[in-house]
């Protein structure tokens, strides 16, 4: 029987590192961010819905979505971010469900979704793993990774549920404030427990 694991965390807490580690173990990964990008490709209904909501200004000259421009709009205005999520959700959800069905014959499948709780995808999972790191480390990683100011990074962090709230709702917490080696050891231990069931 296939078990679907919801993998989430906060922005820049190290969820992608855990997802990569699991993928190397041969576990199918459904990456909600990749799914979102797929439904926002030129010609896709997701992109058409974004243009209808936010106008042509979110398009690059190539006709592709200008993610930087869209980010500038939505991360500074919580209501616009909420609207973007509402517009995109049906397209992303449909494709995620389709992907889960593709892997029904696998023992484990991971749904890697940064907004697993915020977008209400938890009903698609059997258990939830949250990747946590302390707030100072999170801020440093995010600013370094995306070359953001403190206010820009704070806006992105605040656009998601608090890490503590996510940890309170998790079945498993992976602590990722330290070394990648330490994080991978925790994931390996958790994986061994999962394979017993």
């Amino acid at each position: 029987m296939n078990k679907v694991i919801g993998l989430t965390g906060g922005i820049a807490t190290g969820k992608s590192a855990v997802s990569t580690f699991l993928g190397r173990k041969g576990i199918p990964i459904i990456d909600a961010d990749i799914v979102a990008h797929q439904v926002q490709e030129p010609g896709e209904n997701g992109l058409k819905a974004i243009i209808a909501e936010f106008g042509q200004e979110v398009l690059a000259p190539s006709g592709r979505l200008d993610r930087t421009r869209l980010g500038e709009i939505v991360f500074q205005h919580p209501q616009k971010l909420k609207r973007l999520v509402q517009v995109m959700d049906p397209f992303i959800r449909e494709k995620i469900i389709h992907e889960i069905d593709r892997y029904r014959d696998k023992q484990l499948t991971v749904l890697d979704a940064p907004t697993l709780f915020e977008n209400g995808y938890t009903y698609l999972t059997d258990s939830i793993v949250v990747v946590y790191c302390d707030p100072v480390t999170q801020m440093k990683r995010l600013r370094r990774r995306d070359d953001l100011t403190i206010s820009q990074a704070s806006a992105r962090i605040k656009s998601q549920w608090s890490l503590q709230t996510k940890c309170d709702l998790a079945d498993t917490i992976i602590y990722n404030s330290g070394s990648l080696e330490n994080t991978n050891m925790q994931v390996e231990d958790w994986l061994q427990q999962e394979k017993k069931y």
Side-chain angles (χ1 to χ4, degrees), residues 2 101-107:
N2 178 271
D101 285 341
R102 281 182 58 211
Y103 296 118
R104 283 295 174 199
D105 61 330
K106 303 294 184 181
Q107 183 182 357

Side-chain angles (χ1 to χ4, degrees), residues 24-141:
R24 286 180 184 147
K25 294 282 185 181
I27 297 168
I29 308 292
I30 301 167
D31 187 323
D33 283 343
I34 291 175
V35 169
H37 285 204
Q38 289 171 340
V39 301
Q40 293 167 0
E41 287 291 316
E44 293 289 336
N45 288 331
L47 180 58
K48 292 173 185 174
I50 290 174
I51 296 167
E53 184 69 30
F54 296 98
Q56 295 285 333
E57 65 179 290
V58 297
L59 287 181
S62 65
R64 303 183 78 83
L65 181 64
D66 184 338
R67 299 184 195 288
T68 302
R69 177 67 188 126
L70 183 62
E72 288 170 355
I73 294 170
V74 300
F75 284 119
Q76 298 301 325
H77 302 92
Q79 285 306 114
K80 289 184 179 180
L81 177 59
K82 186 176 180 182
R83 184 62 192 141
L84 174 63
V85 170
Q86 289 170 343
V87 166
M88 291 307 302
D89 182 70
F91 306 107
I92 296 171
R93 193 177 297 259
E94 180 183 16
K95 191 163 179 63
I96 286 173
I97 291 169
H98 173 74
E99 291 295 301
I100 289 172
D101 285 341
R102 281 182 58 211
Y103 296 118
R104 283 295 174 199
D105 61 330
K106 303 294 184 181
Q107 183 182 357
L108 286 178
T109 301
V110 171
L111 172 56
D112 175 346
T115 53
L116 186 81
F117 292 111
E118 293 92 328
N119 291 357
Y121 296 152
T122 53
Y123 78 98
L124 297 171
T125 68
D126 298 298
S127 69
I128 296 168
V129 175
V130 169
V131 182
Y132 173 90
C133 76
D134 66 82
V136 173
T137 301
Q138 181 185 22
M139 176 65 79
K140 284 181 181 175
R141 286 176 180 168

Side-chain angles (χ1 to χ4, degrees), residues 172-183:
T172 304
I173 301 170
I174 303 294
Y175 294 93
N176 187 41
S177 296
S179 69
L180 184 59
E181 181 183 22
N182 179 266
T183 300

